[in-house]
Amino acid sequence: MKITVIGTGYVGLVSGACLAEVGNDVLCVDVDARKIDILKSGGIPIYEPGLVEMVKRNVAAGRLNFTTDVEASVHFGEIQFIAVGTPPDEDGSADMQYVVAAARNIGRYMKSFKLVVDKSTVPVGTADRVKVAMQEELQARGLSIEFCVASNPEFLKEGAAVDDFMKPDRIVIGTDSEKATQLLRSLYTPFQRNRDRLVVMDVRSAELTKYAANAMLATRISFMNELSTLAEKLGADIEQVRHGIGADPRIGYHFLYPGCGYGGSCFPKDVQALRRTAQENNVPLRVLDAVELANEAQKSVLVNKIQARFGDNLKNMRFALWGLAFKPNTDDMREAPSLTMIEALWRMGATISAYDPAAMDETRRIYGQRDDLTLAESPMQALEGADALLIVTEWKAFRSPDFETMKSLLKNPVIFDGRNLYEPQTLRAQGFEYFPIGRRP
């Protein structure tokens, strides 16, 4: 098939590369000429394991191309995936200007049938807005050309997006058109050879499914984080509680890990957008209100522990920080707990020495050069002369460090662990003061 993917951000680039990988001809279009130049030169503007190799392989095979020419991109693909950003607006709702602009461009330049597929995470009712925008452009041209609009929300985890696309657990299709259903069923056949993973529903249900999925996962995280605070007060161990409830097949183990809060481009934005949609329809979502409040509070848990140990005045103190990205295997720092912690420590007069395997350039972009921020070249270098270590992201490289070397580099053998990477008894036996989340003292 010939496919156009509009937007070369996280969703668009992964989708385009994976669709090309199974033999489709894919043209990715973006109005950001800098991004297209990077892609044409063999680079990628995001960090995602396995993606750069896949992009290079399919560019070399001639199946994957990049352009800034909007008109050419509309003519190219019978299927047009809209995968542009939907950033949160000031009121928390999703900003739909880029989605609508993409739809208008398709209506402005199309000459034959198009199946337009919303891949971006969009509020319920977006497909109707896309239809209206396209119809207005066609009417302005005095044309009547057949088109369909479908919803096909992405369920990609940053850090595992290529695997998620190539081996999906489900493929949600929202459409009222049998023609659209058959086209998408044919497109996704290579991704579901051992069983049918297609879940076909109406458009509005598909749009809501994406928000509902992320809101449910965010709810599990916030629930466990609040439970971890209670466990500390009661002298219980949240890890043992996690195993106890996770063994129940009705609950399972996924997303039951307590920590220092969720971040990224999806959960915070999607929870806010779903709450905003509910408010606009006079439906209170009290659970999600609490989820968001709990998450914001959780981002300060390690800072609160630092204050309890060292006090409020942290002048002349230096803190090492392991992990800057909101999760492992990505360089994404949007809404990352590390940002909240760094800025709180700065307000109390501390300096930071930080390390992350992937997010150092992103940190430089956000903060620039500062006297109170040092970006180390290795985890151990970050520890040199630090008063304590904060573990914020659970990268595999942090899971089994040389504790004796750590102890010799730190000014004080103190670890604040926001991801519960280590066993408290083991660290305390080695002479560390160890402050995890919800673990037994």
Side-chain angles (χ1 to χ4, degrees):
M1 289 187 176
K2 286 192 171 184
I3 300 162
T4 294
V5 178
I6 304 163
T8 59
Y10 189 82
V11 173
L13 187 55
V14 171
S15 300
C18 291
L19 289 167
E21 180 75 1
V22 297
N24 296 293
D25 291 323
V26 180
L27 180 62
C28 293
V29 62
D30 204 299
V31 295
D32 187 339
R34 183 190 63 85
K35 275 187 184 179
I36 297 300
D37 287 342
I38 290 170
L39 289 161
K40 283 185 172 180
S41 65
I44 62 171
I46 61 174
Y47 177 88
E48 180 62 37
L51 183 58
V52 65
E53 296 85 0
M54 182 177 283
V55 169
K56 286 181 177 179
R57 184 164 60 246
N58 285 283
V59 168
R63 293 190 298 267
L64 180 61
N65 290 284
F66 304 98
T67 186
T68 56
D69 188 333
V70 174
E71 183 174 357
S73 74
V74 173
H75 295 161
F76 182 84
E78 181 181 29
I79 302 178
Q80 303 265 322
F81 279 97
I82 297 179
V84 297
T86 53
D89 221 332
E90 290 182 9
D91 61 0
S93 61
D95 185 345
M96 297 303 297
Q97 62 173 311
Y98 305 113
V99 172
V100 173
R104 289 196 177 281
N105 283 333
I106 297 169
R108 189 173 296 132
Y109 296 119
M110 63 186 287
K111 295 179 178 179
S112 58
F113 170 81
K114 300 294 175 184
L115 169 56
V116 180
V117 184
D118 287 329
K119 197 73 176 169
S120 303
T121 301
V122 293
V124 176
T126 296
D128 294 335
R129 293 181 64 180
V130 167
K131 284 180 186 176
V132 168
M134 291 180 63
Q135 199 60 55
E136 287 175 352
E137 292 297 327
L138 287 170
Q139 287 174 354
R141 296 166 62 196
L143 297 175
S144 177
I145 303 173
E146 182 190 6
F147 67 88
C148 298
V149 178
S151 174
N152 174 215
E154 53 85 15
F155 297 98
L156 306 177
K157 299 186 294 293
E158 290 193 44
V162 171
D163 274 352
D164 285 346
F165 199 104
M166 298 301 292
K167 303 170 186 175
D169 48 19
R170 81 281 204 198
I171 302 166
V172 172
I173 302 296
T175 179
D176 301 318
S177 161
E178 184 58 31
K179 184 174 184 177
T181 300
Q182 292 306 316
L183 277 170
L184 290 170
R185 186 177 292 280
S186 177
L187 177 66
Y188 281 116
T189 294
F191 302 96
Q192 46 176 347
R193 291 182 66 83
N194 63 345
R195 66 178 176 87
D196 187 3
R197 291 175 169 83
L198 220 64
V199 183
V200 182
M201 57 185 74
D202 65 89
V203 175
R204 285 183 169 243
S205 296
E207 291 169 337
L208 182 57
T209 294
K210 169 62 177 181
Y211 280 115
N214 278 351
M216 174 61 77
L217 297 175
T219 300
R220 286 171 69 98
I221 293 170
S222 281
F223 174 74
M224 286 303 290
N225 283 338
E226 292 221 300
L227 207 60
S228 70
T229 302
L230 179 61
E232 280 190 23
K233 292 288 186 183
L234 297 176
D237 189 325
I238 195 63
E239 277 297 296
Q240 295 181 32
V241 174
R242 181 179 70 81
H243 283 289
I245 64 176
D248 186 330
R250 297 170 300 174
I251 298 171
Y253 290 101
H254 294 296
F255 286 84
L256 290 186
Y257 291 91
C260 45
Y262 61 75
S265 62
C266 294
F267 288 4
K269 174 175 70 72
D270 293 353
V271 168
Q272 287 180 12
L274 186 54
R275 289 178 63 219
R276 182 63 184 175
T277 296
Q279 290 167 7
E280 290 170 353
N281 288 274
N282 297 313
V283 177
L285 293 182
R286 300 178 186 90
V287 171
L288 282 192
D289 295 343
V291 166
E292 193 166 38
L293 285 171
N295 189 59
E296 288 308 305
Q298 196 69 18
K299 290 180 179 181
S300 298
V301 163
L302 284 194
V303 174
N304 296 339
K305 290 176 182 287
I306 290 169
Q307 288 178 287
R309 171 61 176 80
F310 291 110
D312 296 336
N313 186 351
L314 304 180
K315 283 187 178 179
N316 301 317
M317 295 192 73
R318 180 186 183 91
F319 290 89
L321 197 129
W322 282 3
L324 294 160
F326 86 95
K327 64 180 284 188
N329 298 319
T330 181
D331 62 351
D332 194 342
M333 291 180 64
R334 285 173 286 184
E335 304 287 338
S338 62
L339 303 177
T340 300
M341 294 179 209
I342 288 170
E343 290 165 18
L345 292 171
W346 280 340
R347 286 193 295 270
M348 290 183 279
T351 60
I352 305 292
S353 178
Y355 173 78
D356 188 284
M360 304 295 265
D361 288 343
E362 182 65 7
T363 306
R364 291 187 188 96
R365 187 192 69 79
I366 293 170
Y367 289 123
Q369 294 291 325
R370 296 180 57 123
D371 292 338
D372 50 10
L373 175 63
T374 300
L375 297 179
E377 294 182 4
S378 70
M380 292 302 173
Q381 188 184 75
L383 300 180
E384 293 176 4
D387 290 276
L389 165 65
L390 284 72
I391 299 174
V392 184
T393 313
E394 63 275 30
W395 285 92
K396 287 181 180 178
F398 304 154
R399 291 185 181 180
S400 186
D402 184 334
F403 291 112
E404 283 302 314
T405 301
M406 290 173 65
K407 200 171 172 184
S408 69
L409 293 172
L410 285 165
K411 193 181 294 184
N412 307 300
V414 181
I415 299 176
F416 298 92
D417 187 354
R419 299 299 175 183
N420 288 351
L421 293 189
Y422 314 128
E423 281 300 319
Q425 297 89 342
T426 303
L427 260 67
R428 286 169 187 142
Q430 296 193 45
F432 284 92
E433 288 183 65
Y434 183 60
F435 300 92
I437 304 287
R439 302 300 305 270
R440 250 180 111 179

